[in-house]
Structure formats: structure tokens, C-alpha cells
Amino acid sequence: MGRVAVVTGGTRGIGYAVTQRLKADGMQVAALYGGNDEAAMRCRDELGVLVLKCDVAESLECRAVLGEIESLLGPVEVLVNNAGVTRDASLHKMNDNDWDRVIRVDLNGLYNMTRPVIGGMRDRGFGRIVNIASINGQKGQFGQTNYSAAKAGVIGFTKALALETARKGVTVNAVAPGYIDTDMVAHVPQDVLETIKADIPVGRLGRPDEVARCVAFLAADEQGFITGSTLTVNGGQYMV
Ligand code: CAA
């Protein structure tokens, strides 16, 4: 049996591509989703993976769903923290809910999902954690103080946890996508998106599968010496 992998936000967009890719690599994948039941059922039918509802902002839900996965598939060995939301607005127009929701899902979600599984990974001497950050956590983005702060936090979390687990066979890395052809990017106003696209040296949006193969690379058994790193996948839009 392949490794047990959990992908949050794993039924749509980049997460769907990651679920598909890890399954193709032989893993037993559980894809978690926050609210879109229709997309989730489609993912389950198309990919034949375990699909469970879980709002990563809610720590009790995370603990419960991880317990369920463990009893159905076994201990979690690979965790991909992909779930993320945007609530774009300039700070002078942002409301408390826009701030809270993004921090709670995009940043607190990492704690809520990782805290319950990290002890087991350490005890067993193996784990692969891949966190989805963003170009906008690296460079900042007009209208995204909430999202840029959360995604910069994802990178800090990644580095700190990588240090704590380096001797325990657990690697912790981040992948920082640029603008990828997903629903999230489709919500950016068309005129704004055109200026963003003009800024991408490769000359197009990225594809979810191009991010998924980076996640799979970092999640592989053979990959034990990269930890604490951030792999940027942004068509050359921002070079770090
Ligand atoms: N840089 C500088 N000035 C900018 C600007 C920018 N990037 N964008 C807008 N402005 C200017 C406008 O030209 C306008 O100037 P004037 O007042 O002189 O005309 C002014 O700022 C408008 O400011 P407002 O605060 O009134 O902005 P708004 O309410 O009209 O809209 C916004 C702001 C909602 C943030 C809108 O600009 C927007 O949606 N931007 C896209 C943000 C974005 O890229 N989000 C990424 C989502 S995808 C994602 O996050 C995935 C990932 O990881 C990459």
C-alpha cells in the first residue's frame, strides 16, 4: 500500500491536481474540501479517492477528520496544506471578516492540520509536509494585506517546523505558485488580470499540474534532503 496522503482543499484547482498526481504516484489520498459539495463529489467520482468535508479554520473539525482518515487508511504520512481563500480589498476598505477569514484558513489552517499529525510523523521517523504559499507572500500584492501576510506566515511556519523535525525524517517545504489558471485567479477583475499577465515572463498563467508535480517531487520518499525550502513556480514573475 502506498503512503497515506492528505490534501486540504484537494478537490478543486491546484489541490485537485495534487490529489490526482499523488494518487497516480501510488499514494492513498484523502482530499479534504471546505464547502463546494458538487466539486467534491465530482472529484471523488473522477479520481476514486476518499473525499471528506473539513473547514481547516476549525481545529476540532481537523482533529475529527484526521482521526477518521487514520482509522480508514492508516497514519498520515504526507500532508499537503493547500486550502486557501482570498478576500481582496485595500486595507483602508477591508473589514474584520475579510482579515479574519483569510488568516484563519490560510495560516491557522496549517496549525490546525499539522499539529495533530506531527507527533506521529516524528515517532515513526517519516513525514512529508508541503505547504502551498504564494508569490504574493513573497513580494506583497496590492489589495492583499491579509493574504500576503498569511502566505508569508506559511513560509515562516515551514522554515521553523523544518528545523524542529529535520532529525526525525520529516521534511517540511513550501511551494509558492504564481498566477495559476484556477477559479481563484478567475475572480481577479479582468482588467487587473491582464496587467498581471503582461508581467509574467513566460507569457501565460501557470497550470495546476505544473504546481502538482513540484508538490509530488517534494513529497516523494526519495526526497529527504530538501527541507525548509520554498520552491517558486511563477513563470519568472518574481525571482527569489
Ligand atoms: N498598484 C498600484 N496602484 C494600483 C494597483 C496596483 N497593483 N491596483 C490598483 N491601483 C490603483 C488604481 O489605479 C486606483 O487608483 P486611482 O484611485 O488613482 O484611480 C486605486 O489604486 C484604487 O484603489 P482602491 O483601494 O479603490 O481599489 P479598488 O477597491 O478599486 O480595488 C482590488 C482594489 C480589489 C484589490 C483590485 O485592485 C484587485 O482585485 N486587485 C487584484 C489583487 C490580486 O492580484 N489578487 C490575487 C488573487 S489570486 C491569488 O491570490 C492567487 C495567488 O496566490 C497568486
Side-chain angles (χ1 to χ4, degrees), residues 126-128 162 166-167 169-173 217-229:
F126 179 87
R128 295 283 180 267
R167 299 205 174 225
V170 181
T171 65
V172 189
N173 290 289
F217 166 71
L218 292 168
D221 271 30
E222 304 86 323
Q223 187 302 104
F225 205 59
I226 302 176
T227 197
S229 76

mmCIF file of all heavy atoms in Angstrom, residues 126-128 162 166-167 169-173 217-229:
data_model
loop_
_atom_site.group_PDB
_atom_site.id
_atom_site.type_symbol
_atom_site.label_atom_id
_atom_site.label_comp_id
_atom_site.label_asym_id
_atom_site.label_seq_id
_atom_site.Cartn_x
_atom_site.Cartn_y
_atom_site.Cartn_z
ATOM 1 N N PHE A 126 9.189 9.331 9.843
ATOM 2 C CA PHE A 126 8.961 9.688 8.434
ATOM 3 C C PHE A 126 7.784 10.640 8.316
ATOM 4 O O PHE A 126 6.734 10.443 8.938
ATOM 5 C CB PHE A 126 8.671 8.448 7.567
ATOM 6 C CG PHE A 126 8.417 8.822 6.120
ATOM 7 C CD1 PHE A 126 9.477 8.954 5.230
ATOM 8 C CD2 PHE A 126 7.129 9.085 5.665
ATOM 9 C CE1 PHE A 126 9.255 9.348 3.908
ATOM 10 C CE2 PHE A 126 6.901 9.482 4.353
ATOM 11 C CZ PHE A 126 7.963 9.609 3.469
ATOM 12 N N GLY A 127 7.963 11.627 7.470
ATOM 13 C CA GLY A 127 6.854 12.531 7.152
ATOM 14 C C GLY A 127 7.251 13.469 6.032
ATOM 15 O O GLY A 127 8.435 13.788 5.843
ATOM 16 N N ARG A 128 6.270 13.856 5.257
ATOM 17 C CA ARG A 128 6.480 14.850 4.193
ATOM 18 C C ARG A 128 5.358 15.873 4.316
ATOM 19 O O ARG A 128 4.175 15.518 4.159
ATOM 20 C CB ARG A 128 6.418 14.195 2.805
ATOM 21 C CG ARG A 128 7.511 13.190 2.523
ATOM 22 C CD ARG A 128 8.836 13.884 2.201
ATOM 23 N NE ARG A 128 9.904 12.928 1.934
ATOM 24 C CZ ARG A 128 10.751 12.464 2.859
ATOM 25 N NH1 ARG A 128 10.635 12.833 4.124
ATOM 26 N NH2 ARG A 128 11.704 11.620 2.527
ATOM 27 N N ALA A 162 10.574 22.905 9.838
ATOM 28 C CA ALA A 162 11.635 22.118 9.194
ATOM 29 C C ALA A 162 12.808 21.937 10.149
ATOM 30 O O ALA A 162 13.388 20.841 10.250
ATOM 31 C CB ALA A 162 12.091 22.807 7.910
ATOM 32 N N ALA A 166 13.928 18.134 11.389
ATOM 33 C CA ALA A 166 14.970 17.700 10.446
ATOM 34 C C ALA A 166 15.615 16.376 10.855
ATOM 35 O O ALA A 166 15.965 15.557 10.011
ATOM 36 C CB ALA A 166 16.026 18.795 10.312
ATOM 37 N N ARG A 167 15.766 16.163 12.133
ATOM 38 C CA ARG A 167 16.424 14.925 12.588
ATOM 39 C C ARG A 167 15.464 13.766 12.759
ATOM 40 O O ARG A 167 15.854 12.702 13.227
ATOM 41 C CB ARG A 167 17.139 15.179 13.915
ATOM 42 C CG ARG A 167 18.208 16.237 13.760
ATOM 43 C CD ARG A 167 19.273 16.115 14.765
ATOM 44 N NE ARG A 167 20.304 17.094 14.417
ATOM 45 C CZ ARG A 167 21.587 16.818 14.412
ATOM 46 N NH1 ARG A 167 22.004 15.629 14.749
ATOM 47 N NH2 ARG A 167 22.458 17.747 14.093
ATOM 48 N N GLY A 169 13.341 12.643 10.246
ATOM 49 C CA GLY A 169 12.888 12.068 8.968
ATOM 50 C C GLY A 169 11.677 12.778 8.386
ATOM 51 O O GLY A 169 11.034 12.271 7.467
ATOM 52 N N VAL A 170 11.384 13.936 8.918
ATOM 53 C CA VAL A 170 10.213 14.683 8.441
ATOM 54 C C VAL A 170 10.697 15.937 7.721
ATOM 55 O O VAL A 170 11.347 16.789 8.339
ATOM 56 C CB VAL A 170 9.282 15.092 9.604
ATOM 57 C CG1 VAL A 170 8.054 15.839 9.094
ATOM 58 C CG2 VAL A 170 8.863 13.859 10.417
ATOM 59 N N THR A 171 10.416 16.029 6.424
ATOM 60 C CA THR A 171 10.777 17.252 5.697
ATOM 61 C C THR A 171 9.552 18.158 5.593
ATOM 62 O O THR A 171 8.414 17.693 5.517
ATOM 63 C CB THR A 171 11.316 16.949 4.286
ATOM 64 O OG1 THR A 171 10.270 16.376 3.496
ATOM 65 C CG2 THR A 171 12.522 16.034 4.320
ATOM 66 N N VAL A 172 9.827 19.456 5.620
ATOM 67 C CA VAL A 172 8.747 20.455 5.561
ATOM 68 C C VAL A 172 9.174 21.509 4.540
ATOM 69 O O VAL A 172 10.199 22.172 4.715
ATOM 70 C CB VAL A 172 8.529 21.126 6.936
ATOM 71 C CG1 VAL A 172 7.271 21.989 6.911
ATOM 72 C CG2 VAL A 172 8.446 20.095 8.051
ATOM 73 N N ASN A 173 8.414 21.609 3.475
ATOM 74 C CA ASN A 173 8.765 22.553 2.408
ATOM 75 C C ASN A 173 7.537 23.329 1.964
ATOM 76 O O ASN A 173 6.395 22.936 2.242
ATOM 77 C CB ASN A 173 9.348 21.795 1.208
ATOM 78 C CG ASN A 173 10.717 21.220 1.523
ATOM 79 O OD1 ASN A 173 11.705 21.947 1.646
ATOM 80 N ND2 ASN A 173 10.788 19.902 1.689
ATOM 81 N N PHE A 217 7.153 16.033 -6.157
ATOM 82 C CA PHE A 217 8.617 15.930 -6.041
ATOM 83 C C PHE A 217 9.051 16.073 -4.575
ATOM 84 O O PHE A 217 9.833 15.272 -4.059
ATOM 85 C CB PHE A 217 9.245 17.026 -6.921
ATOM 86 C CG PHE A 217 10.699 17.283 -6.671
ATOM 87 C CD1 PHE A 217 11.662 16.360 -7.051
ATOM 88 C CD2 PHE A 217 11.111 18.463 -6.061
ATOM 89 C CE1 PHE A 217 13.011 16.603 -6.822
ATOM 90 C CE2 PHE A 217 12.453 18.719 -5.826
ATOM 91 C CZ PHE A 217 13.406 17.784 -6.202
ATOM 92 N N LEU A 218 8.484 17.064 -3.901
ATOM 93 C CA LEU A 218 8.864 17.316 -2.505
ATOM 94 C C LEU A 218 8.270 16.282 -1.553
ATOM 95 O O LEU A 218 8.761 16.098 -0.442
ATOM 96 C CB LEU A 218 8.427 18.730 -2.087
ATOM 97 C CG LEU A 218 9.186 19.860 -2.786
ATOM 98 C CD1 LEU A 218 8.503 21.202 -2.532
ATOM 99 C CD2 LEU A 218 10.647 19.909 -2.323
ATOM 100 N N ALA A 219 7.200 15.621 -1.985
ATOM 101 C CA ALA A 219 6.509 14.650 -1.123
ATOM 102 C C ALA A 219 7.053 13.226 -1.278
ATOM 103 O O ALA A 219 6.642 12.331 -0.551
ATOM 104 C CB ALA A 219 5.013 14.659 -1.444
ATOM 105 N N ALA A 220 7.966 13.049 -2.216
ATOM 106 C CA ALA A 220 8.439 11.689 -2.524
ATOM 107 C C ALA A 220 9.328 11.119 -1.418
ATOM 108 O O ALA A 220 10.046 11.849 -0.741
ATOM 109 C CB ALA A 220 9.201 11.707 -3.847
ATOM 110 N N ASP A 221 9.294 9.819 -1.269
ATOM 111 C CA ASP A 221 10.159 9.121 -0.312
ATOM 112 C C ASP A 221 11.631 9.427 -0.558
ATOM 113 O O ASP A 221 12.412 9.593 0.379
ATOM 114 C CB ASP A 221 9.983 7.600 -0.485
ATOM 115 C CG ASP A 221 8.873 7.047 0.380
ATOM 116 O OD1 ASP A 221 7.903 7.789 0.644
ATOM 117 O OD2 ASP A 221 8.979 5.866 0.771
ATOM 118 N N GLU A 222 12.004 9.452 -1.854
ATOM 119 C CA GLU A 222 13.419 9.607 -2.226
ATOM 120 C C GLU A 222 13.961 10.979 -1.874
ATOM 121 O O GLU A 222 15.171 11.209 -1.931
ATOM 122 C CB GLU A 222 13.605 9.417 -3.740
ATOM 123 C CG GLU A 222 13.101 8.122 -4.317
ATOM 124 C CD GLU A 222 11.619 8.162 -4.680
ATOM 125 O OE1 GLU A 222 10.814 8.796 -3.945
ATOM 126 O OE2 GLU A 222 11.276 7.555 -5.699
ATOM 127 N N GLN A 223 13.077 11.901 -1.596
ATOM 128 C CA GLN A 223 13.477 13.294 -1.381
ATOM 129 C C GLN A 223 13.575 13.546 0.115
ATOM 130 O O GLN A 223 12.589 13.925 0.731
ATOM 131 C CB GLN A 223 12.451 14.188 -2.079
ATOM 132 C CG GLN A 223 12.780 15.654 -2.118
ATOM 133 C CD GLN A 223 12.981 16.280 -0.768
ATOM 134 O OE1 GLN A 223 14.131 16.526 -0.379
ATOM 135 N NE2 GLN A 223 11.928 16.511 -0.050
ATOM 136 N N GLY A 224 14.758 13.326 0.690
ATOM 137 C CA GLY A 224 14.886 13.507 2.131
ATOM 138 C C GLY A 224 15.843 14.622 2.516
ATOM 139 O O GLY A 224 16.061 14.876 3.704
ATOM 140 N N PHE A 225 16.423 15.291 1.520
ATOM 141 C CA PHE A 225 17.476 16.256 1.862
ATOM 142 C C PHE A 225 17.084 17.703 1.564
ATOM 143 O O PHE A 225 17.846 18.624 1.827
ATOM 144 C CB PHE A 225 18.772 15.882 1.124
ATOM 145 C CG PHE A 225 20.011 16.393 1.807
ATOM 146 C CD1 PHE A 225 20.319 16.038 3.117
ATOM 147 C CD2 PHE A 225 20.877 17.253 1.132
ATOM 148 C CE1 PHE A 225 21.465 16.524 3.745
ATOM 149 C CE2 PHE A 225 22.024 17.739 1.755
ATOM 150 C CZ PHE A 225 22.316 17.379 3.063
ATOM 151 N N ILE A 226 15.919 17.897 0.996
ATOM 152 C CA ILE A 226 15.409 19.265 0.830
ATOM 153 C C ILE A 226 14.431 19.505 1.967
ATOM 154 O O ILE A 226 13.426 18.801 2.087
ATOM 155 C CB ILE A 226 14.668 19.443 -0.515
ATOM 156 C CG1 ILE A 226 15.578 19.108 -1.694
ATOM 157 C CG2 ILE A 226 14.142 20.880 -0.642
ATOM 158 C CD1 ILE A 226 14.880 19.158 -3.056
ATOM 159 N N THR A 227 14.725 20.467 2.809
ATOM 160 C CA THR A 227 13.760 20.820 3.849
ATOM 161 C C THR A 227 13.873 22.295 4.189
ATOM 162 O O THR A 227 14.950 22.883 4.093
ATOM 163 C CB THR A 227 13.907 19.912 5.098
ATOM 164 O OG1 THR A 227 12.725 20.033 5.895
ATOM 165 C CG2 THR A 227 15.134 20.225 5.930
ATOM 166 N N GLY A 228 12.758 22.893 4.512
ATOM 167 C CA GLY A 228 12.739 24.321 4.837
ATOM 168 C C GLY A 228 12.815 25.218 3.619
ATOM 169 O O GLY A 228 12.952 26.438 3.732
ATOM 170 N N SER A 229 12.680 24.619 2.437
ATOM 171 C CA SER A 229 12.840 25.423 1.220
ATOM 172 C C SER A 229 11.492 25.897 0.687
ATOM 173 O O SER A 229 10.448 25.345 1.023
ATOM 174 C CB SER A 229 13.567 24.623 0.143
ATOM 175 O OG SER A 229 12.676 23.694 -0.414
#
